[in-house]
Amino acid sequence: MRYTIIILLVALLSGSCDNWLDLEPENERLSMDYWTKKEDVHNTMMSAYVRLRDCQTKMFQWGELRADVLEIKTSSSTEQIEKINKQNITSENTIIEWAQFYKVINSANAVIKYAPVVLTRDPLFTEEQMDQYIAEAKVVRSLAYFYLVRAFREVPLITEPYLTDAQDIFQPKVAEEAILDRLILDLKWSLKRVPVTYASAGSSLAWENKGRMTRWAAQTLLADIYLWSEKYKECVDACQLIVDSKRYRLVGNEQEEEDENGTTEQESWFSIFYPGLSEESIFEIYYDHANNQRNSLFSWFQKDGTYLLPQRIIDEFEYDNAVIDLRAKNKTYFKQDSWLGVWKYVGASTDGTTKRSGDKQSPNWIIYRYPEVLLMQAEAYAMLDGGMVEGNKIAAVRALNVVKTRAGVPAIDVDVAAQMSEASLMDEILKERKKEFVGEGKRWFDLVRFAKKDGFSKYKKSVIDILLENVPMNERTIYETKLSNEWSFYFPIHKDEIDISKGVLKQNPAYQ
């Protein structure tokens, strides 16, 4: 499987074209003549994961650069990154290019369209297998679109594969709500068909149970879309199904087995990231560094890399000498000389000095793990019925407290929870997400989701205030002015896409 993916990366991503989505013409490879056996479906499905791996840099940058957690070490190569970080965003910035996500979508669309053709040609390909591949493709496509919607709000909704440059692919943007409604329908359909697992535990392909879209990965994505769409009851119920499945647990809640000396020690939260593929993980993009499946996480976050943590983030972990957050020093972060880095992507142990060896320097990129389910459910309960029902507040705090307790920090008293306002409860949830998911591509999307509630009428100012806390006084007016327009929370469409579409694509109003 690992070698197949490498071969596909070369074969499927070669060639070029200059259409506005930069979707490479598959021509013979994805023509009707190509689709003759079940292996063709499988290989194209795997190409979607190869392309999803290529999106990891964007997933990180889009989810972190505009937020308040990371700082950037200035160098000649960080100009575009710094502009995004400082809200100096223009349509020429290469970071906002979206073509890589549409390549994922194109591979998924090919599976969805042509798997039924293979069913008529390969007697060994069953209808159940066809439905499983189509469901898997729809979940991968939904994830790609969810990133695009959170980053751009409105994007073209493309559901047909593009085989040649001659096809009409100049499609206009579709409203956010319409795209999300389509994703919800696709995921509901897929939940009945996508596999629960792909390989037996302990087998050489066991990583596929975390690295491919399972039913529970689809369920978590659906819950996330419900939360973004302010469908709070649906989000609560979707999360509860995952909790009730008992397939996942918070790593760090249990004691490890006795060693040869008869002693036990607490299981480490850090093991989520090294060696990874933990019982907490629901879906992560898999990398095999030794076989040239690589990312830049190690180099970005090691000493003198691109990204570092400000002292204020460390202070949030170390707010009380009497409390030790189990996610803190030498787990989430490390200090080397004056450098504050993100240890979860650099380290190989919790000693703060042992780093990943050469063949381990492309950590898996975790998209969903179990605490996110609990924190999504907490947020949905906090917002349910206008945040006024005492029972919902208590349910929100109980879900939040599970994550707090695992981290070893004080839980919120249930009696206090009943008296908390919606705003104060939301603030607690946001703070806990901030610490739990440092550097995991979550923070900016969290802030946008918070700001957009009730049509940007309730919490937008609170989000702006959060961002202004870390902005020099002489720059605050510029920030406030830009973010006063709700469309400025999203990226502009890249200038090249606008130009090549010949008027079909309309620019984000905040950047016109």
Side-chain angles (χ1 to χ4, degrees), residues 130-326:
M130 176 191 73
D131 283 348
Q132 288 179 349
Y133 276 112
I134 291 174
E136 185 179 5
K138 285 187 175 183
V139 180
V140 170
R141 183 176 71 180
S142 295
L143 178 66
Y145 270 122
F146 191 40
Y147 271 97
L148 289 167
V149 166
R150 288 180 294 176
F152 295 93
R153 195 177 196 176
E154 296 180 350
V155 297
L157 179 62
I158 298 172
T159 57
E160 289 285 325
Y162 290 96
L163 311 184
T164 71
D165 290 339
Q167 289 180 256
D168 178 15
I169 60 174
F170 301 139
Q171 295 190 23
K173 296 186 297 182
V174 174
E176 175 186 26
E177 184 178 1
I179 296 174
L180 295 176
D181 286 347
R182 173 61 183 267
L183 303 188
I184 289 170
L185 286 175
D186 282 348
L187 289 169
K188 284 182 174 180
W189 183 90
S190 298
L191 279 170
K192 300 174 183 178
R193 297 165 177 85
V194 72
V196 174
T197 60
Y198 290 91
S200 59
S203 76
S204 61
L205 295 179
W207 65 270
E208 290 189 348
N209 297 329
K210 307 292 186 180
R212 290 177 66 179
M213 287 295 189
T214 63
R215 183 174 303 171
W216 299 107
Q219 186 74 34
T220 308
L221 174 57
L222 179 60
D224 205 1
I225 293 172
Y226 279 144
L227 187 62
W228 186 270
S229 304
E230 300 178 44
K231 299 179 186 293
Y232 298 121
K233 180 61 167 62
E234 292 89 339
C235 179
V236 164
D237 293 344
C239 290
Q240 193 60 44
L241 286 172
I242 302 166
V243 173
D244 291 343
S245 76
K246 301 188 184 303
R247 286 184 170 271
Y248 307 97
R249 67 177 181 86
L250 295 182
V251 170
N253 272 358
E254 297 182 358
Q255 298 240 325
E256 294 180 345
E257 295 182 0
E258 290 187 2
D259 62 20
E260 62 271 15
N261 298 317
T263 60
T264 60
E265 61 181 32
Q266 187 70 26
E267 179 185 55
S268 176
W269 176 88
F270 181 72
S271 65
I272 299 163
F273 304 95
Y274 190 92
L277 296 174
S278 73
E279 293 182 59
E280 182 169 308
S281 173
I282 299 173
F283 178 67
E284 52 191 86
I285 298 178
Y286 180 82
Y287 291 87
D288 186 345
H289 186 95
N291 284 311
N292 206 35
Q293 299 171 16
R294 301 183 177 184
N295 60 44
S296 300
L297 289 167
F298 180 87
S299 61
W300 283 344
F301 290 107
Q302 67 175 329
K303 185 178 183 293
D304 296 323
T306 304
Y307 304 101
L308 65 158
L309 291 171
Q311 182 61 47
R312 65 177 182 274
I313 301 299
I314 310 305
D315 293 341
E316 291 187 34
F317 281 94
E318 301 177 353
Y319 59 93
D320 186 343
N321 290 331
V323 175
I324 300 175
D325 192 315
L326 298 178

